[in-house]
Amino acid sequence: MDSILSIRGVGKTYSSGHRALESVDLDIARGEIFALLGPNGAGKTTLISIICGIVTPSTGTILVDGHDARHDPREARMRIGLVPQETSVDMFETVWSTVRFSRGLFGKKMDKAYCEQLLKDLTLWDKRDAQIRELSGGMKRRVLIAKALSHEPDILFLDEPTAGVDVSLRRDMWKLVSGLRSRGTTIILTTHYIEEAEEMADRVGVIDKGRLLLVDEKSALMKQLGKREMTLTLQEPLSALPAELAEWNVDLQDEGHRIRYTFDAQAEHTGIPSLLRKLGDLGIGFKDLETEKSSLEDIFVDLVENDR
Amino acid sequence: MKGFNARGVLAIYRFEMARALRTIWQSLAAPVITTSLYFVVFGGALGSRIQTVDGTDYGAFIVPGLIMLSLLQQSISNGSIGIYFPKFTGTVFELLSAPISSMEMVLGYVGAAATKSMVIGLVILATASFFVDLNIHHPWAVALFLLLTSFAFSLFGFILGIWAKSFEQLNFVPVLVVTPLTFLGGAFYSIDMLPQPWRTVSLFNPVVYLVSGFRWSFFDKGDVDIAISLGFTTGFLAVCLTIIAIIFRTGWRLKN
Ligand SMILES: Nc1ncnc2c1ncn2[C@@H]1O[C@H](COP(=O)(O)OP(=O)(O)OP(=O)(O)O)[C@@H](O)[C@H]1O
Ligand SMILES: [Mg+2]
């Protein structure tokens, strides 16, 4: 893998004594979208903050495009843009001046055309001379994104980009992310929302209690761990499952109106034909049949539950 | 860090100056009014009794001390707010994640704070010249002391801004330490006028050396030798620089 970011043995114990991150190893491929999925307090923000230089790691090394973040921070940081979880912006600055400030801070020469396009993409152009305190919460988020992108970073971190954001901004955000991706920007985002990871990411890492539980291609993950379900709506409700069905993983639902069959999508024999035949033999009729793939959400909940 | 991020320094400097420009009239009106009041009270009321100190007209005599008083207050407050505010609002994350070294950050913030103080110092000087005749003996020394003091105390303010965890702490040092030291530091009198042991005690007050050196620059006369004053001022600057270097090396109170 051509990795743009390489994390080795990164751990963090806060001064309070709290161990927020165990030894984390992770490689991010150039140009991919990576979703870090985990519940509250899992250590997502801590990991991102360490990579961006805001929190000092207790152990481990980080290479950003081959530059050691500790020994060559300037080269490492120039390549990174961060949209933090909290909306911290300078309230009395105008949109334009704060974006200009960010670009300068990262050592880049002012490029009016680029900044103008950036603000237009984020529908902030009309607000460029407004003070940030006059903007709505969603608009402030856009300003933070504009600031993070002002210096044309190779890697963009989005820490919970869609928390507290309405549908339209969310859609805009995804448009922006796919636009950036097509230009070759690597994107790492954190989220609690599985749909978000499912929709956008190439790969997903599941983190809980400071440990990276698993990292995989989203599609492989869903295939590997994905369970499928088939639900049959019965013509006549059953009071109990016949003993003959014990060899299938079935249960009764909806006061006997439905039978649910859970099976492994990867298995060679799904057991569906034989189950249907058996039902026919038993004279159990059904009027509807549905199958469903388990979502990343189920996978995630499974993983985190097992970890506890 | 290797190299020098000049654009980053400039971005911080411009940001800070723009912030000051938004409130320029308050920033300038306050020192002008205060200075005028000092002249009315000290120069007018007291001056008619004291007349001269060390052969200098009393009105003129207090000018260096007055400027020094404002310089210290302004430098400390400008230097501390500049870094305290981002910490307070959370925007400090951007500074910490930027490819900018600690010394570049100091240069931007402290440079801007010192510039503001020097402008105010010059405005006070201009105001004072409306009230009294000033014949400055060593203009270059005036400029040098203005520069050194502004930088040293803006840097001191910067350290205070990093240290402070609340606005109360931020105000504590200027109000309870610096202002008394300035008033007791010979801003409005020559320490030779004090009876013993207060004269000797005064020599432990660092502000005495600043005021004395500054006064020497104006009138060619000071309470202590000019070399000692200059040595003290540069020494204080060096101490602040060392502290800041240590703070950034350890990430103290800025990073978790
Ligand atoms: N400055 C700090 N000092 C002490 N403990 C901290 C600090 N910051 C975070 N923690 C703790 O470290 C753990 C991980 O926090 P972190 O913010 O990284 O979680 P997260 O995955 O981003 O959570 P969320 O989804 O709620 O944003 C939490 O238990 C948190 O309480
Ligand atoms: Mg977080």
Side-chain angles (χ1 to χ4, degrees):
Chain A
M1 174 161 80
D2 172 20
S3 71
I4 192 164
L5 182 62
S6 165
I7 299 163
R8 288 288 171 275
V10 167
K12 175 68 185 178
T13 308
Y14 280 107
S15 53
S16 62
H18 181 79
R19 184 129 184 88
L21 223 49
E22 304 289 334
S23 171
V24 169
D25 295 307
L26 179 63
D27 276 284
I28 302 294
R30 195 178 299 276
E32 78 170 326
I33 299 182
F34 187 90
L36 204 53
L37 197 59
N40 284 130
K44 303 180 294 294
T45 301
T46 302
L47 182 58
I48 287 187
S49 302
I50 288 174
I51 300 168
C52 295
I54 299 165
V55 167
T56 321
S58 308
T59 58
T61 54
I62 290 157
L63 292 183
V64 182
D65 208 4
H67 301 279
D68 190 310
R70 189 196 304 260
H71 299 116
D72 200 359
R74 214 189 286 274
E75 288 295 322
R77 292 173 183 196
M78 264 170 47
R79 291 167 167 75
I80 295 178
L82 165 66
V83 182
Q85 185 171 0
E86 319 274 339
T87 328
S88 346
V89 271
D90 289 299
M91 293 295 174
F92 295 97
E93 294 298 309
T94 66
V95 173
W96 181 256
S97 71
T98 198
V99 169
R100 176 195 199 104
F101 169 77
S102 296
R103 190 173 167 95
L105 195 61
F106 278 74
K108 282 252 181 175
K109 192 163 180 276
M110 187 54 191
D111 180 342
K112 286 209 170 98
Y114 173 80
C115 290
E116 180 175 339
Q117 192 54 50
L118 182 62
L119 291 189
K120 282 180 174 161
D121 288 348
L122 287 159
T123 57
L124 282 170
W125 183 243
D126 295 338
K127 301 271 183 196
R128 63 188 177 279
D129 294 322
Q131 284 193 358
I132 294 172
R133 69 195 168 98
E134 299 163 11
L135 304 181
S136 72
M139 283 288 190
K140 290 193 186 102
R141 279 218 108 107
R142 292 178 203 244
V143 172
L144 279 170
I145 299 174
K147 279 166 77 75
L149 290 173
S150 66
H151 63 279
E152 301 164 60
D154 297 329
I155 308 175
L156 179 67
F157 284 94
L158 295 164
D159 200 353
E160 297 190 25
T162 53
V165 146
D166 74 359
V167 183
S168 97
L169 176 50
R170 209 162 150 168
R171 206 169 27 223
D172 285 0
M173 197 98 79
W174 292 145
K175 231 187 281 167
L176 182 86
V177 166
S178 30
L180 285 170
R181 190 257 198 100
S182 62
R183 270 177 272 160
T185 308
T186 307
I187 294 158
I188 297 162
L189 55 96
T190 74
T191 178
H192 303 136
Y193 304 117
I194 295 58
E195 317 90 74
E196 217 159 85
E198 215 166 332
E199 238 174 285
M200 292 302 303
D202 301 308
R203 287 197 308 149
V204 177
V206 178
I207 186 171
D208 187 34
K209 287 187 276 178
R211 290 191 303 125
L212 206 51
L213 299 177
L214 131 152
V215 176
D216 212 338
E217 302 281 331
K218 181 183 64 184
S219 49
L221 196 67
M222 296 197 54
K223 244 195 255 161
Q224 241 177 51
L225 294 162
K227 291 253 171 55
R228 297 185 75 158
E229 274 176 16
M230 181 175 72
T231 309
L232 300 169
T233 309
L234 305 176
Q235 276 163 350
E236 303 289 332
L238 288 176
S239 52
L241 274 177
E244 287 88 340
L245 296 181
E247 61 178 287
W248 290 271
N249 183 18
V250 288
D251 55 353
L252 262 189
Q253 291 199 311
D254 197 14
E255 292 169 349
H257 284 90
R258 287 173 223 259
I259 289 181
R260 187 180 62 178
Y261 172 45
T262 311
F263 57 98
D264 186 347
Q266 286 311 99
E268 226 168 290
H269 302 288
T270 57
I272 294 175
S274 53
L275 173 65
L276 293 183
R277 235 176 286 128
K278 191 59 149 193
L279 288 172
D281 293 348
L282 293 168
I284 301 173
F286 56 91
K287 50 186 180 195
D288 194 15
L289 179 153
E290 257 178 285
T291 63
E292 200 178 296
K293 238 197 293 197
S294 65
S295 66
L296 209 49
E297 174 130 28
D298 307 324
I299 300 172
F300 170 70
V301 170
D302 268 0
L303 266 174
V304 173
E305 293 287 295
N306 289 340
D307 186 47
R308 289 190 195 272
Chain B
M1 291 193 196
K2 280 174 243 153
F4 184 72
N5 182 357
R7 287 198 189 96
V9 174
L10 199 66
I12 294 176
Y13 186 86
R14 281 177 51 162
F15 178 92
E16 284 295 297
M17 292 312 282
R19 199 162 60 82
L21 280 177
R22 278 201 291 270
T23 55
I24 178 115
W25 296 116
Q26 288 106 293
S27 317
L28 291 183
V32 170
I33 293 171
T34 325
T35 311
S36 307
L37 285 176
Y38 274 117
F39 275 109
V40 172
V41 174
F42 284 88
L46 282 178
S48 59
R49 305 264 172 109
I50 303 178
Q51 314 245 317
T52 62
V53 178
D54 283 350
T56 308
D57 170 61
Y58 186 67
F61 178 83
I62 63 170
V63 171
L66 261 182
I67 297 177
M68 204 43 95
L69 179 64
S70 287
L71 220 52
L72 298 194
Q73 285 169 344
Q74 291 288 331
S75 299
I76 293 174
S77 94
N78 289 334
S80 59
I81 284 285
I83 188 70
Y84 181 79
F85 216 63
K87 263 192 357 170
F88 180 71
T89 59
T91 53
V92 71
F93 85 88
E94 194 178 23
L95 292 166
L96 294 176
S97 68
I100 188 156
S101 74
S102 44
M103 282 306 152
E104 287 158 1
M105 204 144 89
V106 169
L107 209 57
Y109 277 109
V110 173
T115 307
K116 285 181 254 175
S117 311
M118 283 190 281
V119 169
I120 287 170
L122 291 174
V123 167
I124 294 175
L125 188 58
T127 313
S129 64
F130 279 109
F131 291 90
V132 289
D133 286 329
L134 283 171
N135 180 17
I136 299 174
H137 276 72
H138 308 286
W140 287 109
V142 169
L144 183 69
F145 266 103
L146 212 56
L147 191 77
L148 280 179
T149 313
S150 298
F151 264 94
F153 282 84
S154 296
L155 200 55
F156 179 72
F158 190 82
I159 295 168
L160 190 65
I162 289 178
W163 168 78
K165 284 187 166 169
S166 65
F167 278 103
E168 285 73 31
Q169 288 186 340
L170 205 60
N171 286 327
F172 173 82
V173 175
V175 172
L176 286 176
V177 180
V178 178
T179 307
L181 282 184
T182 318
F183 273 92
L184 299 175
F188 303 109
Y189 53 84
S190 162
I191 58 166
D192 288 337
M193 292 159 76
L194 295 176
Q196 280 295 16
W198 298 114
R199 199 184 309 161
T200 311
V201 169
S202 290
L203 293 177
F204 290 96
N205 180 353
V207 180
V208 165
Y209 299 89
L210 294 171
V211 172
S212 164
F214 205 39
R215 190 172 287 141
W216 176 88
S217 317
F218 277 79
F219 310 123
D220 201 24
K221 275 193 260 326
D223 289 338
V224 291
D225 196 87
I226 176 63
I228 298 176
S229 287
L230 200 59
F232 178 84
T233 314
T234 42
F236 184 70
L237 185 62
V239 168
C240 290
L241 279 171
T242 313
I243 295 175
I244 217 71
I246 294 169
I247 286 177
F248 277 111
R249 182 147 327 132
T250 56
W252 183 73
R253 285 211 179 173
L254 274 177
K255 288 192 190 190
N256 284 310

